[in-house]
Amino acid sequence: MVVGDIATGTEVLVIGAGPGGYVAAIRAAQQGLDTTLVEKDAYGGTCLNYGCIPSKALITSADLAHQAGHAEEMGIHADPVVDMSQLRDWKDGIVDQLTGGVEKLCKANGVNLIEGTARFKDENAVRIAHGGEGQGSETIEFEHCIIATGSRVIQIPGFDFANEQVWSSRDALAAETVPDDLVVVGGGYIGMELSTTFAKLGANVTVVEMLDDILPTYESDVARVVRKRAEVLGIDMHFGEGASGWREEDDGIMVTTETEDGEENEYYADKVLVAVGRSPVTDTMEIENAGVEPDERGFIEVDDFRRTEVDHIYAIGDIVEDTPMLAHVASQEGIVAAEHIAGEPVAFDSQAVPAAVFTDPEIGTVGMTEEEAEEAGFTPAVGEMPFQASGRALTTGHTEGFVRIVADEDSGFILGAQIVGPEASELVAELALAIEMGARLEDVAATIHTHPTLAEAVMEAAENALGQAIHTLNR
Ligand SMILES: Cc1cc2nc3c(=O)[nH]c(=O)nc-3n(C[C@H](O)[C@H](O)[C@H](O)COP(=O)(O)OP(=O)(O)OC[C@H]3O[C@@H](n4cnc5c(N)ncnc54)[C@H](O)[C@@H]3O)c2cc1C
């Protein structure tokens, strides 16, 4: 008998075990629902295997090597040697520990795990193909399905990732050696995180960006701090240029770019890293058989509960239209979807979604900018605290950047924050909580912060917005 002929049933089927899918599956199982999770590649998805975690491991080691080699001012004289193969082993060990942990947590919570690729038969069943040729398939019928199939890198014409000289972010994170010369196509957050990392590991890095600045989704004064530091690190940035092709040279490659006016430039490299964004994976699971129709770019429209147009089918994570492609967003959406299926009173709230960029210095943002607050009809009260005036920042040797808080002048409610500087990715959490709790400027200003810490800058920015700053001049 063919295994695929027997259909098994599950209350909740989750497709994809990234930070969206595995979190959704665990929460659904915790709600007492019979839950099955299917994954075709590796537990933890892009985030744990090819994204957030390996990139942050590489960033940490590059930072450490760079700092150790540039601390003469503090009386430290060192010339660190980076052993890339040892570094890779360390990074891979972290990934293995975390992916193994996901599998164990799923099992411990009673989630049924299936390895294979899911394709929809109709709106109540999927066929799962197990691995390669001859490994069979099975049909799973479901009452509810949560699709969490994530995203893939976007290729650009002429730059085929099949060539070993052309790197995707995934290839860069698996690098065996540091290239002498690296051209990075794209100045978005992944491009800039990896540019900074490879520059600190010793590569000569050139960034080519079609727009007129790096990090186009961030405010220009935030991006400026990162750009200036990138210049100090020796990163050569070219704006208004699109990569148009590359050719092999005797001992490397030549990457060609074109401006809008048709002017051509060439940059020599060993590798070219293409980091121009990611697109949703909704085209490989015959989703149309379930009656769900992605938009022309492949994204799926959902309601506040992450429900698609087919009531019992949910979509979460990178495949969702109009939400940022971030791991914590995927996880939160997974929790909302699972709890909604279980009948809990939940909804996804996009008001306080923090985002971090792990460049040097880091960026951490949440909620509205001053301009967005104005557009939304508020009269913004804005307060800033430069890290230059923070005692703790001075003792770490990292004083670039600032904390900015945007609040509603009438009520004092905090609406948003933009932080660029040391530990911005951690500091922004306080302001995400403030927004979530409906805190006012007075609440943050009156909260006693430990001294000397970087977090004091958050308190001081709130005081600044109230015109009560002590350690910086009021605006
Ligand atoms: C280099 C890099 C750095 C990043 N850094 C950060 C960061 O610092 N912070 C942050 O918040 N985000 C970061 N991200 C983004 C983050 O990785 C994604 O937003 C997140 O992984 C999305 O989660 P997801 O669950 O939607 O999808 P994914 O993590 O992509 O998981 C989807 C899973 O579905 C599986 N799948 C797909 N189709 C099928 C199918 N038909 N059947 C079975 N399984 C299937 C895939 O194999 C995959 O495992 C980074 C991404 C990259 C590439």
Side-chain angles (χ1 to χ4, degrees), residues 315-386:
I316 59 170
D318 283 4
I319 57 174
V320 168
E321 203 177 38
D322 292 336
T323 50
M325 287 181 163
L326 293 168
H328 46 283
V329 173
S331 297
Q332 181 61 21
E333 290 181 323
I335 285 172
V336 168
E339 292 190 352
H340 190 258
I341 291 169
E344 297 290 329
V346 283
F348 185 79
D349 180 3
S350 60
Q351 208 194 340
V353 176
V357 181
F358 294 79
T359 39
D360 179 1
E362 293 181 354
I363 298 174
T365 59
V366 62
M368 295 184 200
T369 61
E370 182 174 359
E371 200 181 319
E372 285 164 350
E374 264 165 17
E375 277 167 14
F378 294 101
T379 304
V382 179
E384 279 186 11
M385 168 71 180

Side-chain angles (χ1 to χ4, degrees), residues 15-21 38-42 44-47 50-52 55-56 116-119 148-151 169 173 189-190 193-194 278 281 284-285 316-319 325-328 330 356 358:
I15 307 176
V38 53
E39 168 57 53
K40 69 177 174 60
D41 179 16
T46 305
C47 172
Y50 319 113
C52 325
S55 68
K56 268 78 251 181
T117 304
R119 289 191 183 81
T149 46
S151 60
S169 57
L173 293 173
Y189 91 88
I190 294 177
E193 283 185 3
L194 290 169
R278 298 179 64 80
V281 177
T284 54
M285 60 184 134
I316 59 170
D318 283 4
I319 57 174
M325 287 181 163
L326 293 168
H328 46 283
F358 294 79

Side-chain angles (χ1 to χ4, degrees), residues 124-386:
N124 282 104
V126 294
R127 182 173 285 274
I128 296 170
H130 299 296
E133 196 62 15
Q135 291 198 28
S137 66
E138 65 182 297
T139 293
I140 306 272
E141 288 173 353
F142 56 82
E143 284 173 29
H144 292 93
C145 178
I146 301 175
I147 311 172
T149 46
S151 60
R152 61 167 83 88
V153 285
I154 294 177
Q155 294 222 32
I156 52 173
F159 292 83
D160 187 342
F161 293 128
N163 290 298
E164 66 172 44
Q165 293 94 332
V166 182
W167 272 357
S168 66
S169 57
R170 182 171 166 170
D171 301 321
L173 293 173
E176 284 170 24
T177 53
V178 177
D180 290 333
D181 296 277
L182 175 67
V183 168
V184 178
V185 180
Y189 91 88
I190 294 177
M192 288 316 295
E193 283 185 3
L194 290 169
S195 298
T196 316
T197 303
F198 279 95
K200 287 182 175 175
L201 289 172
N204 298 310
V205 179
T206 303
V207 174
V208 289
E209 166 59 56
M210 211 133 75
L211 303 175
D212 57 7
D213 201 353
I214 57 166
L215 302 168
T217 51
Y218 293 88
E219 286 180 294
S220 58
D221 60 348
V222 170
R224 189 187 314 130
V225 178
V226 178
R227 197 178 63 236
K228 279 195 164 167
R229 178 75 181 128
E231 279 163 8
V232 171
L233 290 169
I235 299 174
D236 186 21
M237 284 164 282
H238 298 268
F239 300 108
E241 294 182 29
S244 51
W246 64 280
R247 62 172 189 279
E248 284 195 47
E249 295 281 287
D250 281 348
D251 54 355
I253 61 171
M254 196 63 89
V255 179
T256 47
T257 67
E258 217 175 287
T259 65
E260 248 184 36
D261 308 333
E263 185 192 309
E264 285 205 344
N265 290 310
E266 293 193 328
Y267 304 101
Y268 173 81
D270 303 302
K271 304 279 182 199
V272 54
L273 162 62
V274 180
V276 295
R278 298 179 64 80
S279 62
V281 177
T282 47
D283 54 352
T284 54
M285 60 184 134
E286 294 166 22
I287 199 169
E288 60 286 355
N289 293 340
V292 178
E293 213 172 298
D295 70 13
E296 70 285 352
R297 293 179 309 147
F299 290 100
I300 299 177
E301 200 185 324
V302 292
D303 64 13
D304 287 350
F305 316 114
R306 308 293 100 169
R307 240 178 355 189
T308 68
E309 62 205 293
V310 180
D311 262 8
H312 63 285
I313 300 183
Y314 293 66
I316 59 170
D318 283 4
I319 57 174
V320 168
E321 203 177 38
D322 292 336
T323 50
M325 287 181 163
L326 293 168
H328 46 283
V329 173
S331 297
Q332 181 61 21
E333 290 181 323
I335 285 172
V336 168
E339 292 190 352
H340 190 258
I341 291 169
E344 297 290 329
V346 283
F348 185 79
D349 180 3
S350 60
Q351 208 194 340
V353 176
V357 181
F358 294 79
T359 39
D360 179 1
E362 293 181 354
I363 298 174
T365 59
V366 62
M368 295 184 200
T369 61
E370 182 174 359
E371 200 181 319
E372 285 164 350
E374 264 165 17
E375 277 167 14
F378 294 101
T379 304
V382 179
E384 279 186 11
M385 168 71 180

